[in-house]
Amino acid sequence: MDTVVVRVPATIANLGSGFDAIGLALSWHNEVRIERASEGISISATGPGAESLARDETNLVARALRSVIGEDMPLGINQLIAIPNGRGFGSSAAAVVSGLVAGRALGGTNDTDEQLLAKAISFEGHADNVAPCLLGGITVSTAASTIRIEPPASIRPLVCIAPHAMPTDVARAALPNEVPRSHAVANLGRASLLVAALSQGRSDVLMDATEDLLHQPPRFELMPASGALVRALRDAGVPAFLAGAGPSVGALVDAGGAGDAEKAARALAPEGWEVRLESIDPQGARTVAER
């Protein structure tokens, strides 16, 4: 095989209460074309944030690819980017997973999804974005295990895309080292409820299940517009939360009332924010062309 094209979804991690543990894949994708070259490595990219991507072996797609096929194969990499960097939709996870999946196809390796997931976690540090990006649907992860949940037809994700980026490391640095026991207990119950709700398609409990006391309050201090939008949407009955580490905002809404939730979000989102009603991608990363 000389050429492979891989498509990978955007993701939302945390979903409010499921900090560093729960994530889902969106039907919104990057595409990467990788081919054998005559020498060295060449990298091109188009789309939002393309100008900031490395054009050498430090490129994240290239690094992930090399971890599967080794350092010797000359490569040409073309990235078609739809997922904006630093907005809370797993852009780095998409880069890592695309490189790993392309490497498996191009190198003809026998790596399983479980082995690729372990590699992806070694790049990202945790599974909440890479697991749904690779496997599709909804995923629940610990440091040692991941379980995939088939997405329910009764629930749809709604996203409000911030016009500016927030580096994930900055958002993580804002988190306290300790939290009150009462907050930890409340989040434990709500994260458990969220898993049950997503497994059973119970949109009626999503307001309770997505409420968070651990990571969002300190991040809202860094992102006051995001915090104000989350609170306004929740006051309007929309189960909203930070998309990953922010600054964008996500929500999980009943499919039957998704249009009304989208209208509320458009009315409440600050100027310059993009509102999109999405679907959950059940497939995750996939090879769409080989030659």
Side-chain angles (χ1 to χ4, degrees):
M1 185 185 305
D2 294 319
T3 303
V4 61
V5 180
V6 173
R7 186 173 297 152
V8 291
T11 52
I12 305 178
N14 303 330
L15 310 184
S17 60
F19 179 53
D20 275 4
I22 305 175
L24 60 77
L26 298 169
S27 293
W28 173 22
H29 303 88
N30 283 358
E31 196 166 279
V32 179
R33 177 187 177 93
I34 300 173
E35 55 191 358
R36 294 176 186 265
S38 57
E39 60 181 8
I41 187 168
S42 64
I43 298 173
S44 59
T46 57
E51 67 283 350
S52 66
L53 296 181
R55 299 301 203 270
D56 56 21
E57 294 281 3
T58 63
N59 178 283
L60 196 49
V61 174
R63 288 171 52 206
L65 182 64
R66 292 296 193 198
S67 75
V68 179
I69 65 171
E71 302 294 327
D72 296 331
M73 185 187 298
L75 296 169
I77 300 173
N78 178 243
Q79 298 176 242
L80 302 177
I81 298 168
I83 307 165
N85 294 330
R87 310 298 173 85
F89 299 108
S91 59
S92 63
V96 168
V97 170
S98 64
L100 295 175
V101 172
R104 177 171 63 183
L106 199 61
T109 74
N110 295 319
D111 290 289
T112 64
D113 283 348
E114 290 74 17
Q115 289 170 320
L116 290 190
L117 180 58
K119 287 179 180 288
I121 294 170
S122 72
F123 276 92
E124 284 283 281
H126 42 84
D128 54 356
N129 284 111
V130 292
C133 186
L134 177 64
L135 304 175
I138 301 158
T139 58
V140 183
S141 302
T142 67
S145 304
T146 292
I147 290 179
R148 179 187 178 278
I149 299 171
E150 188 68 22
S154 57
I155 296 173
R156 293 187 66 178
L158 176 70
V159 298
C160 303
I161 306 166
H164 56 279
M166 170 63 72
T168 301
D169 56 347
V170 174
R172 187 167 286 272
L175 302 181
N177 291 325
E178 297 181 353
V179 297
R181 179 186 298 177
S182 60
H183 290 184
V185 170
N187 258 64
L188 179 61
R190 288 183 177 121
S192 301
L193 180 64
L194 180 57
V195 172
L198 294 170
S199 298
Q200 299 179 23
R202 289 283 303 276
S203 60
D204 58 308
V205 299
L206 287 174
M207 282 294 292
D208 187 16
T210 56
E211 186 174 350
D212 168 76
L213 296 174
L214 293 187
H215 69 102
Q216 292 188 159
R219 285 172 168 170
F220 288 160
E221 295 181 17
L222 286 179
M223 315 168 207
S226 304
L229 180 55
V230 168
R231 288 188 289 270
L233 285 168
R234 293 184 72 86
D235 287 345
V238 178
F241 42 80
L242 275 181
S248 299
V249 169
L252 295 173
V253 301
D254 181 82
D260 291 337
E262 182 182 10
K263 288 178 184 177
R266 291 189 185 281
L268 294 168
E271 184 177 355
W273 288 57
E274 180 186 358
V275 176
R276 296 172 56 154
L277 181 61
E278 290 284 335
S279 298
I280 300 175
D281 179 355
Q283 291 183 271
R286 59 264 203 191
T287 302
V288 296
E290 298 177 348
R291 181 170 61 80

